[in-house]
């Protein structure tokens, strides 16, 4: 089972809602750079090639619903 951090899960959830890294940064009051790091870390953990693949993998692994 793949595990992501609570923050990575939160970022993926916002991505699935169609938010950009810039928008997520504003919502979570973090820098866009930090959000991009969370996305990249989650992509590596889920072996996803891009953001769409990351969201699909998160659904498939029951990380988000």
């Amino acid at each position: 089972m793949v595990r992501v951090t609570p923050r990575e899960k939160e970022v993926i959830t916002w991505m699935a809602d169609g938010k950009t890294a810039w928008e997520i940064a504003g919502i979570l009051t973090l820098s866009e750079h930090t959000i991009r790091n969370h996305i990249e870390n989650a992509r590596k953990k889920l072996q996803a090639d891009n953001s769409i693949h990351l969201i699909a993998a998160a659904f498939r692994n029951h990380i988000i619903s």
Side-chain angles (χ1 to χ4, degrees), residues 43-61:
R43 281 186 54 222
K44 287 178 184 175
K45 290 176 183 178
L46 293 170
Q47 300 177 357
D49 296 327
N50 56 47
S51 295
I52 301 300
H53 190 189
L54 172 60
I55 295 166
F59 274 112
R60 201 170 34 252
N61 286 283

Side-chain angles (χ1 to χ4, degrees), residues 5 10 13 17-18 33-34 38 42 44 47 59 63:
T5 67
E10 188 174 21
T13 301
D17 282 343
H33 177 78
T34 299
H38 288 308
K44 287 178 184 175
Q47 300 177 357
F59 274 112
I63 294 167

